[in-house]
């Protein structure tokens, strides 16, 4: 039994997340966690809201709330949405909690003691009107690269180039709009990543199994020369810098956010301290396999910056084994954007369709080889085809026939024959492939294998037609129907990581009520058994089909929607 630590990139706190965030980090992490639980591994799946930084302060100001109160409220909003999407975190924490404060201070002190922190004086934008420095997004102006007028001090949304507030042309304060901005000297702390190049090279060379996209991004950062990184900001919301003369400064959000993976583990352990030990997952934890899931913009922070923090400490912290990074989910040909309210946000998504339908489509179309474009048209067509016509139809035709003709009792007559042996061979191939794809973190291929198992089951039943055979050979029909019931059970078990709600309901119709249904290893035994109690219930409609025209209506509605 392997010990697997799984983390999803931390969703930022400034609003309800969109389908891109779900597809890029939360969902693939959840599906893998569920698969690993299904094969009996010991899994710890963690996540947290990422709460520091200027966007949180600005969103709180826009909502007319104190930033701590704003973050507390938004954390609860996000937690509830993830519960409804059946994201099976063992613990969902907050990066602004006291444990993360303490750990962030710890790492800073270790890095400092090892000579890896350096003070530099920087010229930063200061606003006399606001009486403060304006870091990152607190400054708005014209992009020096593309001329976009609404560029923000950390990045230009139009041309995506990273910026410093001092780069902007005609800068103004995002708080007061004041344009009388000055440049003033201010002291900041840098993490000397340049001193860690060799350590990082060796570390990176010892990793394997990363998607090419992730390796390429990590290598690009190293090959371009690892630059020292400013890890402090002139802000009040965040982890205060424990050094005289640094009052009113906090650590940069990307310094403390990944440390929250460890803080979340402490939060999990603190809920049951007699039985849980966070150190077993992080401290000299050679027996742990650690997997991180995230979108490609987060790769540098996980493949370079966070490892620099951990390795630079000189302590035996667990570092990531595989970073599963993906490309973008785009929205009807353009970008998802939280700030512009473009796309489908997770609260609205749940009003339109069940969580399982979104989970299935986003996994089956995971942006792994390249970007994936979401459109309502494709979503409706593929969900109708896979979930209603294939899986739903399989469940319905088998269980309602058992209900109608056998009073809900799984028939025991008849013996498996040649068609069942052929079926078992084909099923074994698919089950082995499915495990392989899950292990390789190949989400699309795993979903394709699940779809293939549903198709195989439907094809078998169409060919052996127990509904017709029952008139001439009731024993043969019974054997086929028994295989059919077991196929339903297998079809639901393999689907469970993707569509846990519907799969769980189907398994309960068969009397199987396991919190984590096991993944069948081979089909031979699985095909010819009766279900516990021998009785199955008739199914309700599992997935209602989207009616014709539904997608067009949604496309039009969402074209002008705001979050
Ligand atoms: N369109 C997308 N497709 C795939 N992954 C995405 C997409 N947008 C964000 N992500 C990923 O979602 C995770 C959480 O992102 P985060 O909450 O920081 O939002 P974000 O990157 O600021 O997105 P946005 O700016 O659209 O709100 C990150 O791993 C990020 O890479
Ligand atoms: Zn630009």
């Amino acid at each position: 039994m392997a010990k697997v630590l799984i983390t999803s990139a931390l969703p930022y706190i400034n609003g309800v997340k969109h389908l891109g965030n779900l597809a890029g980090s939360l969902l693939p992490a959840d599906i893998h966690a569920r698969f690993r639980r299904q094969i009996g591994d010991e899994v710890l799946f963690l996540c947290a809201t990422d709460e520091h930084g200027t966007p949180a302060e600005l969103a709180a100001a826009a909502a007319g709330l104190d930033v701590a109160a704003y973050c507390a409220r938004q954390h609860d909003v996000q937690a509830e949405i993830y519960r409804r999407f059946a994201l099976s975190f063992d613990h969902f924490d907050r990066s602004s909690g006291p444990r993360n404060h303490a750990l962030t201070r710890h790492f800073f002190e270790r890095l400092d003691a090892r000579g890896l922190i350096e003070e530099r004086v920087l010229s930063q934008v200061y606003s006399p009107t606001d009486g403060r420095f304006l870091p990152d997004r607190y400054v708005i102006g014209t992009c020096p690269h593309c001329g976009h007028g609404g560029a923000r001090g950390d990045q230009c949304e139009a041309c995506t180039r990273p910026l410093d507030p001092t780069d902007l042309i005609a800068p103004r304060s995002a708080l007061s709009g004041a344009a009388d901005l000055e440049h003033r000297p201010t002291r900041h702390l840098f993490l000397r990543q340049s001193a860690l190049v060799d350590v990082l090279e060796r570390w990176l060379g010892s990793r394997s199994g990363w998607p090419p996209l992730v390796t390429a991004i990590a290598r690009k950062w190293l090959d371009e020369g690892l630059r020292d990184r400013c890890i402090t900001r002139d802000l009040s919301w965040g982890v205060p810098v424990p050094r005289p003369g640094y009052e009113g400064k906090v650590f940069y959000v990307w310094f403390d956010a990944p440390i929250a993976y460890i803080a979340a583990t402490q939060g999990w352990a603190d809920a049951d301290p007699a039985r849980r030990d966070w150190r077993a997952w992080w401290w000299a934890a050679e027996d742990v396999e650690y997997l991180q899931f995230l979108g490609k913009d987060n790769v540098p922070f996980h493949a370079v910056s966070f490892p620099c923090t951990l390795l630079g400490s000189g302590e035996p912290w667990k570092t990531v084994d595989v970073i599963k990074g993906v490309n973008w989910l785009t929205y009807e040909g353009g970008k998802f954007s939280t700030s512009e309210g473009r796309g489908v946000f997770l609260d609205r998504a749940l009003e339109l369709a069940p969580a399982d339908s979104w989970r299935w489509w986003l996994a089956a179309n995971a942006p792994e080889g390249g970007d994936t474009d979401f459109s309502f048209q494709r979503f409706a067509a593929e969900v109708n085809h896979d979930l209603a016509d294939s899986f739903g139809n399989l469940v319905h035709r088998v269980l309602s026939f058992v209900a109608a003709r056998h009073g809900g009792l799984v028939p025991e007559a008849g013996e498996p024959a040649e068609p069942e042996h052929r079926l078992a061979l084909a099923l074994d191939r698919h089950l082995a492939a499915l495990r392989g794809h899950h292990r390789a973190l190949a989400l699309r291929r795993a979903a394709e294998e699940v779809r293939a198992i549903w198709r195989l089951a439907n094809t078998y039943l169409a060919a052996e037609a127990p509904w017709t055979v029952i008139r001439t050979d009731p024993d043969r029909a019974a054997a086929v129907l028994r295989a059919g019931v077991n196929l339903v059970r297998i079809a639901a078990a393999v689907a469970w990581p993707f569509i846990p709600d519907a799969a769980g309901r189907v398994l309960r119709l068969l009397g199987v009520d396991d919190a984590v249904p096991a993944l069948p290893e081979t089909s031979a035994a699985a095909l010819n058994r009766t279900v516990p109690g021998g009785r199955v219930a008739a199914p309700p409609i599992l997935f209602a089909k989207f009616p014709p025209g539904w997608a067009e209506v949604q496309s039009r509605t969402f074209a002008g929607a705001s979050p």
Side-chain angles (χ1 to χ4, degrees):
M1 183 174 76
K3 264 179 94 163
V4 197
L5 175 62
I6 296 176
T7 57
S8 155
L10 307 186
Y12 197 71
I13 195 72
N14 67 338
V16 170
K17 301 283 98 178
H18 50 63
L19 294 180
N21 303 118
L22 184 62
S25 55
L26 298 156
L27 179 64
D30 182 68
I31 290 173
H32 194 70
R34 287 175 178 274
F35 161 71
R36 298 296 286 254
R37 292 185 190 118
Q38 270 196 310
I39 61 169
D41 286 342
E42 183 182 355
V43 174
L44 185 59
F45 175 28
L46 301 168
C47 194
T49 36
D50 175 11
E51 303 192 359
H52 294 138
T54 49
E57 293 197 353
L58 289 169
L65 282 174
D66 157 68
V67 62
Y70 171 82
C71 288
R73 189 162 85 181
Q74 288 300 320
H75 172 84
D76 291 347
V77 168
Q78 290 203 24
E80 172 60 12
I81 290 173
Y82 302 149
R83 193 191 58 73
R84 293 174 65 199
F85 270 98
L87 297 175
S88 58
F89 307 131
D90 292 294
H91 183 68
F92 185 58
D93 213 305
R94 305 179 55 188
S95 71
S96 66
R99 297 181 193 89
N100 200 41
H101 275 244
L103 277 166
T104 301
R105 277 196 300 276
H106 168 82
F107 279 106
F108 167 69
E109 280 155 10
R110 284 293 305 179
L111 294 166
D112 197 17
R114 302 187 85 233
L116 291 168
I117 300 291
E118 184 177 296
E119 181 175 285
R120 295 184 193 173
V121 176
L122 304 179
S123 175
Q124 298 273 279
V125 176
Y126 185 87
S127 165
T129 309
D130 300 298
R132 57 173 291 171
F133 282 99
L134 299 179
D136 304 321
R137 295 192 184 187
Y138 276 111
V139 190
I140 307 171
T142 300
C143 172
H145 303 291
C146 74
H148 173 57
R152 297 186 296 209
D154 55 350
Q155 191 179 31
C156 171
E157 287 257 304
C159 71
T160 75
R161 286 202 177 76
L163 297 172
D164 272 325
T166 46
D167 297 338
L168 293 170
I169 300 164
R172 61 185 192 281
S173 162
L175 289 171
S176 59
D180 58 333
L181 305 181
E182 301 169 2
H183 288 183
R184 286 196 189 178
T186 171
R187 285 186 291 175
H188 279 284
L189 298 175
F190 280 68
L191 174 58
R192 294 179 51 228
Q193 296 190 146
S194 56
L196 290 166
V197 170
D198 291 345
V199 175
L200 203 69
E201 277 284 359
R202 264 199 309 281
W203 177 78
L204 205 57
S206 68
R207 308 293 101 175
S208 60
W210 293 20
L213 167 78
V214 177
T215 309
I217 296 174
R219 283 254 50 106
K220 183 163 170 286
W221 271 55
L222 267 176
D223 295 346
E224 283 177 357
L226 203 51
R227 290 203 289 164
D228 297 340
R229 190 163 65 103
C230 182
I231 57 163
T232 53
R233 290 289 187 276
D234 289 289
L235 293 172
S236 55
W237 174 242
V239 181
V241 180
R243 178 181 272 213
Y246 279 76
E247 297 76 20
K249 295 182 204 272
V250 299
F251 287 106
Y252 177 43
V253 56
W254 267 117
F255 184 68
D256 80 72
I259 297 172
Y261 295 139
I262 307 174
T265 318
Q266 295 180 336
W268 164 81
D270 285 352
D272 190 358
R275 268 181 300 179
R276 298 176 181 173
D277 176 12
W278 70 268
R279 281 181 193 78
W281 295 91
W282 282 100
W283 192 262
E286 253 98 69
D287 59 334
V288 171
E289 182 185 344
Y290 180 16
L291 311 174
Q292 292 174 341
F293 292 79
L294 38 98
K296 65 179 169 187
D297 58 327
N298 286 173
V299 170
F301 302 103
H302 290 77
V304 177
S305 318
F306 187 40
C308 278
T309 302
L310 296 174
L311 298 169
S313 76
E315 295 174 324
W317 292 100
K318 177 72 196 171
T319 54
V320 66
D321 290 298
V322 180
I323 299 178
K324 168 71 176 179
V326 295
N327 289 282
W328 295 126
L329 182 74
T330 56
Y331 173 70
E332 304 236 344
K335 266 187 71 169
F336 275 94
S337 167
T338 303
S339 54
E340 286 160 33
R342 186 163 199 284
V344 182
F345 289 76
L346 298 183
D347 48 355
R348 291 294 305 278
L350 288 168
E351 292 165 14
L352 298 178
D356 278 348
S357 301
W358 298 107
R359 289 176 61 110
W360 173 255
W361 194 88
L362 294 172
N365 294 282
E368 291 176 320
D371 292 350
T372 291
D373 191 42
F374 170 85
S375 77
F376 279 105
Q377 201 78 47
R378 288 186 61 197
F379 173 71
E382 292 171 25
V383 167
N384 277 354
H385 181 268
D386 293 340
L387 298 186
D389 292 345
S390 188
F391 181 56
N393 184 39
L394 169 72
V395 173
H396 199 264
R397 71 210 285 214
V398 171
L399 299 193
S400 46
F401 193 67
V402 175
R405 298 302 295 266
H406 295 274
L409 290 172
V410 182
E412 289 183 28
E415 285 300 322
E418 187 49 34
E420 287 69 48
H421 299 319
R422 277 202 310 273
L423 172 68
L425 284 178
L427 199 51
D428 280 340
R429 277 197 300 276
H430 287 301
L431 289 173
L434 174 64
R435 276 174 189 249
H437 295 323
H438 269 307
R439 283 204 177 277
L441 308 175
L443 207 56
R444 256 175 194 259
R445 289 196 168 151
E448 173 52 39
E449 219 55 60
V450 170
R451 199 190 273 125
I453 290 171
W454 296 343
R455 200 164 43 226
L456 178 72
N458 276 317
T459 307
Y460 162 80
L461 285 160
E464 301 310 314
W467 12 90
T468 318
V469 174
I470 197 168
R471 287 185 224 125
T472 51
D473 187 350
D475 280 7
R476 172 72 196 141
V480 173
L481 210 52
R482 191 163 62 252
V485 172
N486 283 301
L487 278 172
V488 168
R489 179 175 173 163
I490 294 165
V494 297
W496 180 77
F498 298 88
I499 50 170
D501 178 60
R505 276 188 286 143
V506 170
L507 289 167
R508 282 192 296 279
L509 294 173
L510 305 179
V512 180
D513 201 10
D514 305 335
V516 177
L519 196 63
E521 196 115 24
T522 57
S523 58
L527 273 180
N528 195 38
R529 66 178 168 203
T530 50
V531 296
R535 176 172 285 281
V536 300
I541 297 288
L542 270 185
F543 291 98
K545 280 178 108 161
F546 297 112
W550 180 86
E552 288 76 5
V553 171
Q554 301 311 327
S555 293
R556 273 200 304 278
T557 311
F558 276 79
S562 55

